[in-house]
Amino acid sequence: MILHTIVDPMEVMMQPQNDDVQYRRVDGCLCVCRGQGAQCKIDRIISTDLKDYLNPRFEPGTAVNLKPKAF
């Protein structure tokens, strides 16, 4: 089941929350991601733009491709 909500799914399902989440900005949208490096996947998004919730780019479980920072 996929919940499209701004509330943390762990609070909705009353399960203990893991602290292995990372907040990342992906294409201008704040995303909560789980995993490290290439295994980092979107868990949920935090946005006030309703179009972001319909964007397949931010679908839960989508891998996050991190761009290397240019110095």
Side-chain angles (χ1 to χ4, degrees):
M1 172 174 50
I2 297 175
L3 299 175
H4 295 280
T5 175
I6 60 170
V7 178
D8 186 358
M10 296 305 163
E11 291 179 22
V12 174
M13 300 299 199
M14 297 190 158
Q15 296 178 2
Q17 186 175 7
N18 295 335
D19 292 334
D20 63 341
V21 297
Q22 300 174 4
Y23 292 86
R24 298 183 182 259
R25 192 158 297 274
V26 179
D27 295 334
C29 182
L30 184 61
C31 298
V32 179
C33 302
R34 294 191 188 274
Q36 297 290 329
Q39 299 297 323
C40 187
K41 297 186 182 208
I42 296 175
D43 191 46
R44 68 184 183 110
I45 64 171
I46 301 171
S47 177
T48 56
D49 186 358
L50 298 177
K51 293 177 186 175
D52 288 340
Y53 291 92
L54 298 175
N55 188 341
R57 172 68 181 101
F58 304 125
E59 183 176 330
T62 302
V64 176
N65 296 325
L66 302 175
K67 297 177 184 175
K69 293 181 180 178
F71 293 102

